[in-house]
Amino acid sequence: MPTLGRAPPVVGMALAACAGAALRHLGVSPVWTLPLLPLLLLPNPTSRRPEGLPPAPGAAFPTRPLLPFVLALLAGSLLTHGWYRREASDCRLFLQDGQTLVLQGRLVGEVAAGRGELHPEASGAGGCPRPLRLVFPGSVPPGLVPGAFVSLRGVWRRSGAAGRADPFQAGYLLVARGEAETRPVRPSEALLLLGGRVQVRLGELLPRQKALAWALVLARKEGLGPEVREAFARAGTAHLLAISGFHVGVVAGLLLLAGGLLGLPQSSRFLLGSLGVWAYLLAIGLPDAAVRAA
């Protein structure tokens, strides 16, 4: 296996993990990944020293050990395999079209254009505690604000093939009845409520562009009209509507800058940035791309 030269070891490990994930995406089971390991254990010749440099002790320097790359390849394959199994067993994929659901839970964000999202408790008909999309065919009942604890009754409507790639898109609850209830806030719901309050505040500060602000800051795209989505797609900037590494970098950069203005030492600034980034991701629901960047 050729050396990676002067590239940092983490680059080679990342490439090996991507190779393992790619093999699984191509349908190669982890069982068949293991026989590939002997290929990585072939003799790895030492690399030659660049011309013009004085000879190093021993005349040649060895390449990096292969064990980290082998482990990274296996990790990429096994983690991707675990993700596939988890997604295939998602309870949202097994709710039947036309099934009546009676659910209680917290509204994740604001109900915009008759659409919202519920984080239900594992109780009631269906018993699926994963986030569900909501559609209100008529007027939205009063009191259904972000973070409110609600009781809903409706009919599950499947979305067809879209749900096979993303269980969140597997269907939606067509709400027939809903009302807000008073329920003490659990510690695990604190960040959910914080995200809801931030969304309300953004709507107050930017009343005309609130739907766009919700999408760019909180990954809440329910209020975006089709014309806005099409405009971003035509401009080639539709990726900005999905919280990703760019957003994580902006948040981390602002926190690092704030730490510098406060005169904090470097280690404290990076601690502030790390904690702030993860608090931000927890508040918006841990989008996959943003988690990888964090």
Side-chain angles (χ1 to χ4, degrees), residues 84-165:
Y84 269 114
R85 293 195 61 179
R86 185 174 65 252
E87 294 297 297
S89 62
D90 195 294
C91 56
R92 290 170 290 190
L93 299 176
F94 300 98
L95 294 174
Q96 300 299 317
D97 186 57
Q99 180 179 353
T100 299
L101 301 181
V102 180
L103 301 171
Q104 291 181 322
R106 297 275 178 189
L107 286 177
V108 177
E110 184 165 322
V111 179
R115 299 178 182 273
E117 181 181 336
L118 179 74
H119 195 290
E121 295 182 338
S123 61
C128 187
R130 306 300 296 275
L132 302 175
R133 293 190 297 157
L134 305 175
V135 173
F136 293 83
S139 59
V140 179
L144 270 62
V145 297
F149 190 88
V150 297
S151 177
L152 302 175
R153 181 184 180 89
V155 176
W156 181 255
R157 296 299 185 192
R158 294 187 62 85
S159 298
R164 288 198 288 268

Side-chain angles (χ1 to χ4, degrees), residues 50-274:
E51 295 182 2
L53 294 179
F61 54 94
T63 57
R64 297 186 176 93
L66 292 174
L67 181 59
F69 304 105
V70 171
L71 295 177
L73 177 74
L74 284 177
S77 178
L78 294 176
L79 287 175
T80 306
H81 179 70
W83 177 84
Y84 269 114
R85 293 195 61 179
R86 185 174 65 252
E87 294 297 297
S89 62
D90 195 294
C91 56
R92 290 170 290 190
L93 299 176
F94 300 98
L95 294 174
Q96 300 299 317
D97 186 57
Q99 180 179 353
T100 299
L101 301 181
V102 180
L103 301 171
Q104 291 181 322
R106 297 275 178 189
L107 286 177
V108 177
E110 184 165 322
V111 179
R115 299 178 182 273
E117 181 181 336
L118 179 74
H119 195 290
E121 295 182 338
S123 61
C128 187
R130 306 300 296 275
L132 302 175
R133 293 190 297 157
L134 305 175
V135 173
F136 293 83
S139 59
V140 179
L144 270 62
V145 297
F149 190 88
V150 297
S151 177
L152 302 175
R153 181 184 180 89
V155 176
W156 181 255
R157 296 299 185 192
R158 294 187 62 85
S159 298
R164 288 198 288 268
D166 180 6
F168 183 66
Q169 302 294 332
Y172 59 89
L173 181 67
L174 186 64
V175 180
R177 179 180 59 82
E179 57 184 10
E181 298 182 1
T182 302
R183 183 68 64 91
V185 179
R186 300 175 180 175
S188 59
E189 299 172 331
L191 286 175
L192 189 64
L193 292 178
L194 174 62
R197 290 173 182 172
V198 171
Q199 185 175 7
V200 171
R201 185 57 178 160
L202 280 175
E204 295 172 350
L205 294 174
L206 304 167
R208 297 182 61 184
Q209 294 87 19
K210 62 180 182 180
L212 187 58
W214 291 344
L216 293 175
V217 178
L218 300 173
R220 311 296 315 169
K221 294 183 284 188
E222 294 85 357
L224 286 180
E227 67 282 354
V228 176
R229 297 172 185 263
E230 184 178 355
F232 271 84
R234 289 182 176 180
T237 55
H239 61 281
L240 294 179
L241 298 177
I243 301 297
S244 60
F246 169 76
H247 302 77
V248 171
V250 170
V251 173
L254 291 175
L255 291 173
L256 292 174
L257 178 61
L261 295 176
L262 293 174
L264 299 178
Q266 183 178 11
S267 59
S268 298
R269 292 201 303 270
F270 277 89
L271 178 62
L272 173 65
S274 299

